[in-house]
Structures are given as structure tokens and as C-alpha cells.
Amino acid sequence: MQVTGKLGYSFESAWHGTRRHPFMSVFMVLAIALGISAPFSAIALVERLGGDPLPGLSDTVFHPQIEPRPPEAVARDPAMPAELTLQDAEALYRLPSSPHAAMMSTNRLPAKRGGDDSPLRMTHTRATTWHFFSLFGLHFLAGRGWTAADDDDRAPVVVLSRVANERLFGGKNSVGREMQIATRTFRVIGIVDDFNPKPHFYDLGSGPFTNAEDLYMPFKTWMDLPQDYGFGPTHCWPASGHPDERPTSPNCTWVQYWVSLPDRDAAARFQENLRAYVNGQLASGRFQMNSEPVLSNVRRWVEANHVVPPTVRMQAVIGAGVFLICMISAVGLLVAKFSRYGSELAIRRALGATRKDVFLQCLFEAGIAGLAGGVLSVPLTWLGFRMIQQQSPTLMDGIHIDAAALSQSVAVAIVVMFVVGLYPALRSSRVAPAQLIKTI
């Protein structure tokens, strides 16, 4: 109880010390708030732009890479292609070790409601195979996805995003309705909830922070459409027997491929089959580079591609610099503040207070400033995040800072101020009482 009483008195003395010097206390709180909010807003942005875009599935969804290019093409660009050729993607899709996989690509197609005179509108479309929705955990608001048979039969069916359904059908249940897409009639069979992962990990070639698609249709159905609208980002290289470099030829990469491998054994089996496939292509003479295939889960894929823009990382560095300057200022303010009422501390020592009691009083005063600065840093961090959003609206679309991240700034401010306050508190507690009493 005696210890508790001493702690309570030290805290009460710290509170009175804070109130006795309001101007210095306010300056210190402002320094703390600015020092915490500047790095927190930038670091929170870096974490969200380069964080986990597929929570709960990122460790079990994988992206394979192989090297189909000749040595001269590799010499010009050593980085292994991110996409696959159509021939390789179809071969991997048939592997027995990848029963839960999806091929995909993207473009923009003219689309409108069927049966009326509404204008055609170029719509962001994702062509993929039937496992796409379960592979990435999309939630259906109405209807369903298509089946493997729909894939093989090139069925004229589509799934709409919630946003597209609101724009085209006013948000009503459009399952069963018809649409005209690229001169053909399609039937809506499903509506999915918002799916806009940041970064756009499964198709970084279209941009790591582009918005998600509005239409989803079977891959083979999409292949049968007039391809005047393109195949998505395509990279070709000269090859004998394929001088025209058509995207469907085996010397052009453009197909994204993702596969679910639920455990290490499944990943090891797929890696072995991937290596065997590459060896077979080498033996046939189609591949010339004996490069080891790469298999990356979502987390590693995002990290390897350095999706966070350099300007955002620079903002985090600048924020860290502001934090350092503000904390140095806070130390100076604490030293000056404790020195101003050093005589009061000396009288307390003379009346029986120990160095530990004085140390705790000064440390508690730093903690009170940290708490106040942390609370003030919450709106400042939110404001800084909003300012960055307005500077880069395309980059920041769908990116938000949550309450948990904001509340962390309060805890960090308190801990930092306890650490920062150690030197001023220790300095004030070690001064001899007689030396300070002479100044009274």
C-alpha cells in the first residue's frame, strides 16, 4: 500500500507539473502529435499498399513462372516473364497436381443491357476459368459461377460485379437477364460482392493498383470473341516458325495462372511436375534455357515485385525524419521544463522523497504528455492519410486506414515518451538537493 501511495503521489505531482507550465506542455504535446502522425500516416499507407491482398488465402495460392524465351531475349531482359504462353498455361492447367487452378487475362469489351437501346460502354472484363471465384474467395450476392462444362462448351454466360450490376440494372437482381457484349448475347448467371484487392496481385501487368473488373466470363468463350479488343498485356519475342507474333502463338506470354496448393506436400508435388514439364519442353527443343521454375505464393509475389511506389516509400522516410526531429525537441522541452522547477524537486527531496520518487514524477509527466500527444495524433494521422489520398486518387482508391491502426498511434506515443523521458527524468533525479536549494 505504501508503494501504491508513493506512485499515486508521484502521478499527482506530475499532473500538477503539467498544469503549472501550460505553454511548454502544449508545445510538447504538439511536437509529439506531429512526430507520431507524420510517420504513421505514411507507414500505414506502405503497409496497405504492400500488405496482404488476400487475407486467409495468401499462403496457399501460388503463381508459377517458367522461362520459354531464347537466350537472346533473356539477355535483353533477364527477368523471368510474369505471365505464361497460352500453350504453357493450358498444359499446366491439365496437370493432375493442380486440380484447383485458374487461367485468366483481361481487356475492355463493349457491353450493355440486352433488349433496349442503352449505349454500349467499354467495360473492364476478366476472362477466366471456373475455379476463379473459389480460388480467390469471392462472395456471391446472387446466382452462381459457371461450371467446368460451361468452360468447355464456351457458354455465353457472365458474372457481374456489384458495381456493374448497379450501373447496368439499377442494383436489381439481374440473374437471368441478357446482355450484349462484343456483338454477342450473354446471360447473367451471378453477381459478386466487391472484390478489389490492393495491390492487384493476380494481374500486376495491368497495374498494381488498378480497380477490379466489372465482368467475368469463361476463358474459352472470351477467346472466341472478336479479338480486336486485345488479349491484355502481351509480350512476344521473335521465334522461327512464328514470324507474326500472334498472341496465341507459343512465343507470346499474356496468360496469368494461379493455383491453390493447400499444404507443403501439394506445393512440392506441383513444383516437381512443373520441373518435369520444363524438362520435357527442353527435350523437345522448344525451351532453350534450363532455368529453374519459380513458384511464389501471394505474399512472396507481392514482395518480389516491389509494388509500393518509390514516392510512397520516400514519404515514409521523410515521416521518420520528422519523428526524430520532434522527439529530440521533446527531450529538450522536458529538460527545460524540469529545470524550471528544479527547486521544487529539491524541496521534495529535502522533505524525504527519494531519487526514485523524483524520477517517477518526471517520468509520469512525460507519459502524460505522450498520452495527450497520442490522442491528438489520431486526427492528425487520419488527416495526413486523407491528404495523401487526394494527391493520388487512383492509387488510393479502396485504401483506408482503420481504427485499429489509428489507436496504435496512442500506444506508440505513450511508450515513446516514456523512453524519451528517461534521460530528463534521470538527470533531474540525480541533482543534489543542496545544490538546487541554493537557487531558491
Side-chain angles (χ1 to χ4, degrees), residues 101-376:
M103 299 187 296
M104 63 192 80
S105 190
T106 184
N107 67 359
R108 293 183 178 272
L109 297 175
K112 70 168 190 172
R113 295 191 305 268
D116 63 20
D117 296 328
S118 59
L120 289 167
R121 178 172 178 172
M122 299 304 292
T123 304
H124 194 186
T125 303
R126 172 67 42 182
T128 184
T129 47
W130 70 292
H131 278 305
F132 174 88
F133 305 102
S134 58
L135 183 68
F136 293 149
L138 275 71
H139 172 66
F140 276 85
L141 299 174
R144 58 172 180 81
W146 57 86
T147 64
D150 292 330
D151 267 335
D152 294 335
D153 296 340
R154 294 169 165 79
V157 295
V158 294
V159 170
L160 298 180
S161 69
R162 182 187 60 80
V163 173
N165 185 65
E166 289 180 354
R167 186 178 68 242
L168 292 167
F169 297 98
K172 298 178 181 178
N173 189 345
S174 59
V175 173
R177 298 283 297 274
E178 290 187 344
M179 291 185 62
Q180 182 181 333
I181 304 173
T183 72
R184 290 186 58 184
T185 300
F186 284 76
R187 179 170 53 89
V188 179
I189 62 170
I191 304 167
V192 291
D193 202 357
D194 294 331
F195 177 69
N196 194 21
K198 296 294 179 74
H200 197 234
F201 68 94
Y202 57 89
D203 187 4
L204 295 177
S206 297
F209 301 105
T210 56
N211 290 327
E213 299 78 16
D214 292 322
L215 290 177
Y216 303 88
M217 69 171 58
F219 189 81
K220 292 181 180 179
T221 305
W222 178 79
M223 290 285 294
D224 286 345
L225 294 175
Q227 288 302 329
D228 299 336
Y229 307 106
F231 284 78
T234 304
H235 304 279
C236 301
W237 59 91
S240 59
H242 303 284
D244 55 352
E245 298 186 0
R246 290 181 295 110
T248 52
S249 64
N251 58 309
C252 292
T253 58
W254 56 276
V255 182
Q256 296 101 38
Y257 182 92
W258 290 85
V259 58
S260 175
L261 303 170
D263 52 46
R264 291 185 178 181
D265 290 340
R269 286 194 300 272
F270 184 85
Q271 183 79 45
E272 291 175 2
N273 288 339
L274 194 60
R275 178 72 256 186
Y277 175 76
V278 170
N279 290 339
Q281 297 300 305
L282 287 167
S284 69
R286 178 170 166 253
F287 286 5
Q288 301 176 42
M289 300 291 295
N290 189 13
S291 301
E292 186 65 26
V294 177
L295 188 63
S296 307
N297 63 20
V298 173
R299 291 179 185 273
R300 289 199 296 268
W301 181 244
V302 170
E303 292 172 1
N305 283 273
H306 308 291
V307 298
V308 179
T311 53
V312 175
R313 293 191 180 277
M314 183 57 65
Q315 287 176 339
V317 173
I318 294 172
V322 172
F323 169 80
L324 183 60
I325 292 171
C326 289
M327 293 307 104
I328 292 174
S329 301
V331 171
L333 287 169
L334 282 173
V335 170
K337 187 178 181 182
F338 295 157
S339 297
R340 289 188 64 176
Y341 58 89
S343 56
E344 300 174 23
L345 297 176
I347 292 175
R348 190 181 174 201
R349 286 286 309 280
L351 293 175
T354 64
R355 285 183 175 181
K356 179 181 178 183
D357 296 332
V358 173
F359 174 80
L360 288 176
Q361 176 184 339
C362 295
L363 196 62
F364 282 152
E365 193 162 338
I368 291 171
L371 175 61
V375 172
L376 181 59

Side-chain angles (χ1 to χ4, degrees), residues 370-384:
L371 175 61
V375 172
L376 181 59
S377 73
V378 170
L380 291 179
T381 301
W382 180 85
L383 182 61

